[in-house]
Amino acid sequence: MKYFSSNTSFPLESGEKLPALTIAYTAHGQLNEERSNVIWICHALTANADPFEWWEDLIGEGKLFDPVDYYIVCANMLGSCYGSSGAASINPATGKPYRDTFPLITIRDMVKAHQLLADHLGIQTIHLIMGGSMGGQQALEWSIIEPQRFEKVCLLATNASHSPWGIAFNEAQRMAIEADLQHDSESEHAGQKGLQAARAIAMLSYRHYDTFKNTQLDPEANKLENFRASSYQRYQGKKLSDRFDVFSYLTLSKAMDSHNVGRGRKSITNALKQVRAHVLIIGISSDVLFPIEEQQLMAQHIPNAQFEVIDSEYGHDGFLVEYESISKVVEPFLRGKLQTSSTKIVALQRQNGRAAIPGSERF
């Protein structure tokens, strides 16, 4: 892990300022002489700056993004607890972690931090920026702010404005955390039970009815309690609370709610028209959190956009799981030019007997 730090005051969209800024990031591979081989990966809500940990099937030698060919950069988003400035950071005014006093941040603030890091690394042109979910929100916002910096953009399971449906899911999770009577205590374990409940709520939006039916159905017909689906939800909640900061989670969920590329730009449509890169937009057929209508809207209004749908039973988490389908769609886009502006359905045959579900079991 590497760190970019700036002691200069960092202004936020809300009008507040951070006295300093730190961004954690990883960089794999080498810049070529022309500095034209940059792949920039934007991570989702609770992931970190090392895509080898959560997208290892797409990144590595002989894979879609090969560090032999590309210089692959991923920055931990502003507000996270994996090395970047956030609620878990020390507030220099108090000498203690910010926790719930960390200021409101937005997707645009995250992009401003990415811009500073890219400038620090001497990167003027990014061959491809790619992100799924909240990572896609960052990638889209950046391609509007600096259209000249990008040659290609790939947006997976994301949107141009966070929906009332998505905001409602996030608010329900924040309510779960606030219902934890220890969430505002001084304990290092403050809010962990609430975070576990929040993650259980989130899992219902990340997955799909068929996901649970195919992986969590109990074989015993006469069972009265201790169901597989119940233990699975508790397992997912505990796993997140063991690795993620409660207050960072609150910060980032509010930042996701703020996503609206049309803010201050007359309209969403007007904002999308400002993108100049070739754009590949990928939706997941069973995604209930970011339904494909949201990707269709982007494809209709972004010039030079190609829209694809991946058939998956894993819901929103398909953008973390369906690496074979993603590779099949992204590889020709990465190596060639825009293929078509029409919708194409991609339905790859998945392996039989696939029981384990990756994705948000890790991130």
Side-chain angles (χ1 to χ4, degrees):
M1 192 69 63
K2 300 179 180 180
Y3 298 90
F4 162 69
S5 295
S6 170
N7 292 323
T8 303
S9 176
F10 185 77
L12 302 171
E13 191 180 2
S14 66
E16 296 191 62
K17 295 180 180 180
L18 292 176
L21 178 70
T22 297
I23 297 297
Y25 70 97
T26 59
H28 304 276
Q30 298 291 328
L31 271 171
N32 60 17
E33 291 184 6
E34 298 80 15
R35 295 179 174 265
S36 61
N37 65 333
V38 177
I39 304 289
W40 195 291
I41 305 293
C42 296
H43 70 75
L45 180 65
T46 63
N48 59 26
D50 192 355
F52 277 83
E53 291 188 12
W54 45 270
W55 246 357
E56 72 273 18
D57 293 311
L58 295 178
I59 301 172
E61 189 171 347
K63 298 177 182 177
L64 178 64
F65 301 127
D66 192 330
V68 173
D69 301 318
Y70 299 106
Y71 184 59
I72 304 165
V73 180
C74 181
N76 183 223
M77 70 173 79
L78 176 66
S80 181
C81 57
Y82 286 126
S84 294
S85 299
S89 303
I90 299 299
N91 182 347
T94 64
K96 298 180 180 180
Y98 278 99
R99 293 168 63 112
D100 57 358
T101 67
F102 192 75
L104 177 71
I105 60 173
T106 68
I107 299 295
R108 291 184 190 176
D109 294 326
M110 295 174 181
V111 169
K112 284 177 58 180
H114 291 330
Q115 289 177 284
L116 290 177
L117 175 59
D119 291 342
H120 168 73
L121 295 174
I123 297 172
Q124 298 303 316
T125 300
I126 294 175
H127 181 57
L128 171 73
I129 185 170
M130 182 173 181
S133 192
M134 194 173 183
Q137 293 176 339
Q138 296 166 65
L140 176 60
E141 180 67 40
W142 196 357
S143 67
I144 293 171
I145 291 176
E146 285 191 300
Q148 74 284 355
R149 197 189 286 256
F150 303 97
E151 295 177 351
K152 297 182 181 183
V153 177
C154 182
L155 309 172
L156 295 88
T158 193
N159 53 20
S161 177
H162 208 48
S163 67
W165 175 248
I167 293 171
F169 263 112
N170 284 343
E171 186 65 21
Q173 294 171 60
R174 291 190 290 266
M175 289 170 65
I177 292 172
E178 292 164 0
D180 183 339
L181 298 180
Q182 299 297 316
H183 89 277
D184 57 356
S185 74
E186 295 295 323
S187 169
E188 62 178 327
H189 303 296
Q192 287 192 344
K193 290 292 185 182
L195 181 59
Q196 291 172 21
R199 184 62 159 188
I201 294 169
M203 292 304 300
L204 300 178
S205 67
Y206 297 159
R207 300 290 166 81
H208 185 269
Y209 177 94
D210 289 339
T211 320
F212 282 87
K213 181 180 71 173
N214 294 335
T215 63
Q216 303 303 323
L217 184 66
D218 285 277
E220 306 107 36
N222 297 323
K223 201 169 188 178
L224 296 178
E225 59 179 348
N226 299 321
F227 296 99
R228 290 180 63 180
S230 300
S231 61
Y232 180 73
Q233 292 293 85
R234 291 183 178 274
Y235 162 77
Q236 291 291 351
K238 180 66 165 56
K239 195 167 186 178
L240 182 69
S241 70
D242 285 346
R243 70 173 178 85
F244 209 80
D245 178 71
V246 174
F247 300 98
S248 296
Y249 195 86
L250 291 169
T251 296
L252 296 183
S253 72
K254 290 180 180 179
M256 179 182 283
D257 290 353
S258 77
H259 177 59
N260 184 341
V261 299
R263 185 172 58 251
R265 299 178 178 133
K266 296 183 180 180
S267 68
I268 290 174
T269 299
N270 185 65
L272 293 176
K273 289 180 180 178
Q274 298 177 38
V275 178
R276 291 294 173 262
H278 292 298
V279 181
L280 173 62
I281 300 169
I282 301 174
I284 307 297
S285 62
S286 55
D287 192 342
V288 298
L289 184 57
F290 291 77
I292 58 173
E293 299 95 295
E294 295 190 326
Q295 292 92 61
Q296 286 175 323
L297 183 146
M298 293 189 295
Q300 289 168 2
H301 298 290
I302 295 176
N304 300 318
Q306 173 184 344
F307 176 45
E308 309 280 1
V309 178
I310 290 176
D311 185 36
S312 174
E313 66 183 30
Y314 294 118
H316 183 59
D317 269 355
F319 85 92
L320 290 169
V321 177
E322 301 289 0
Y323 63 92
E324 292 180 4
S325 298
I326 293 171
S327 294
K328 185 175 181 180
V329 176
V330 175
E331 184 170 14
F333 173 76
L334 177 63
R335 308 195 190 289
K337 294 183 178 180
L338 191 71
Q339 295 179 355
T340 176
S341 60
S342 62
T343 301
K344 174 183 175 184
I345 304 298
V346 178
L348 297 185
Q349 187 70 34
R350 79 174 35 84
Q351 298 174 357
N352 293 327
R354 190 175 176 183
I357 309 174
S360 51
E361 289 192 4
R362 296 166 294 162
F363 293 99

